[in-house]
Amino acid sequence: MSDTNGPVESGSSAGAEETPSAAAASGEAANTAGSAAAGSGRHARVVLVDDHRMFRTGVQAEIGETERTGVEVVGEAADVDQAVTVITATRPEVVLLDVHLPGGGGVEVLRRCAPLMADAEQPVRFLALSVSDAAEDVIGVIRGGARGYVTKTITGTDLVDSIFRVQDGDAVFSPRLAGFVLDAFASTDAPPVDEDLDRLTQREREVLRLIARGYAYKEIAKQLFISVKTVESHVSAVLRKLQLSNRHELTRWATARRLV
């Protein structure tokens, strides 16, 4: 499965106990990578945009030790209006942008921040950081002007590296997502509109994909930072809108549309 239950992922197998020596090696590697970034004199001012406070706190703890990583978190935002305000006020080098936000989503933030991205002297660059690995989400924010797209399975060390690469003007993608962009821009035809899928909200689409991948309600709740009851409500709404009877039909529906 491509999703994870936390802001960043250590890379260890689920349920496996990490030995003291392995833990020490892992920590040493992360510290070495972070020290290398800081020791090189690199510095990036970053704004975190995500509607889950717990996730922002986790990312801040993982990458925000400036002396170690070279990354300075200068602002946070939980919705589109807050994001535009904070980004305009702080003018960071890089914005870590969630795709699904109250107020219009990441694409709306990009639209309203277009003049900042176009500033030749001090451009603000965007790196999408999202739980979603759906092709339409990836293509939408790249067309909106983001320089890259990584999922929340990324490690802290790799996220720091991605931030500096985007700061330098490079394009950065999680491996599986690069193909979506190549396919989209290689074709002159617009992707077909799926009227059934368009009936669902962004959150309902997230729940749909996780259900189709076999996640239990508790796992989805933890993944999306919502309650189990909220997950149940979203599943009921999805089944009703798509006129399906159960999660098995839902899985077949999603698989047929290559949403899994």
Side-chain angles (χ1 to χ4, degrees):
M1 297 179 188
S2 60
D3 295 292
T4 184
N5 289 329
V8 291
E9 183 175 82
S10 66
S12 60
S13 299
E17 293 184 0
E18 190 175 38
T19 65
S21 59
S26 176
E28 183 179 352
N31 289 332
T32 299
S35 298
S40 66
R42 306 199 69 180
H43 182 266
R45 299 169 66 255
V46 172
V47 166
L48 304 178
V49 181
D50 193 289
D51 60 339
H52 297 119
R53 181 180 58 82
M54 289 178 62
F55 178 75
R56 297 198 309 272
T57 300
V59 174
Q60 168 81 281
E62 188 76 19
I63 71 171
E65 297 179 15
T66 307
E67 291 184 1
R68 177 175 65 85
T69 66
V71 174
E72 179 187 2
V73 178
V74 297
E76 299 181 13
D79 59 36
V80 170
D81 288 340
Q82 288 180 11
V84 174
T85 298
V86 171
I87 293 166
T88 302
T90 60
R91 296 296 294 266
E93 280 85 26
V94 179
V95 177
L96 294 180
L97 179 68
D98 193 12
V99 175
H100 302 148
L101 295 167
V107 172
E108 178 64 13
V109 175
L110 292 165
R111 186 187 69 79
R112 292 169 61 177
C113 290
L116 300 180
M117 289 189 283
D119 188 327
E121 295 184 0
Q122 190 181 355
V124 176
R125 295 189 168 103
F126 287 79
L127 173 62
L129 175 62
S130 178
V131 69
S132 172
D133 59 2
E136 63 266 26
D137 289 334
V138 178
I139 295 166
V141 295
I142 297 304
R143 283 179 170 159
R147 295 294 304 174
Y149 194 118
V150 294
T151 62
K152 292 179 179 179
T153 58
I154 193 170
T155 65
T157 300
D158 287 343
L159 182 56
V160 169
D161 179 64
S162 297
I163 288 169
F164 285 120
R165 288 173 61 192
V166 167
Q167 181 186 26
D168 290 341
D170 293 342
V172 179
F173 297 94
S174 294
R176 177 173 178 267
L177 309 184
F180 295 156
V181 179
L182 292 174
D183 291 344
F185 288 93
S187 173
T188 57
D189 298 326
V193 175
D194 189 324
E195 294 182 358
D196 290 332
L197 191 60
D198 282 350
R199 295 191 184 101
L200 306 182
T201 66
Q202 292 288 356
R203 179 63 83 195
E204 288 168 354
R205 294 185 191 189
E206 289 178 343
V207 172
L208 162 67
R209 291 188 182 94
L210 293 176
I211 285 286
R213 289 170 182 169
Y215 281 70
Y217 285 4
K218 287 184 179 180
E219 293 173 319
I220 296 172
K222 187 175 182 180
Q223 177 73 32
L224 300 180
F225 298 95
I226 57 180
S227 69
V228 173
K229 286 187 177 180
T230 301
V231 174
E232 293 173 349
S233 297
H234 285 315
V235 172
S236 296
V238 170
L239 292 174
R240 184 181 67 255
K241 291 180 179 180
L242 300 180
Q243 298 183 336
L244 301 173
S245 301
N246 53 56
R247 64 181 297 161
H248 300 296
E249 291 184 0
L250 186 152
T251 298
R252 288 197 296 271
W253 187 93
T255 301
R257 286 163 174 76
R258 299 181 180 178
L259 300 176
V260 180

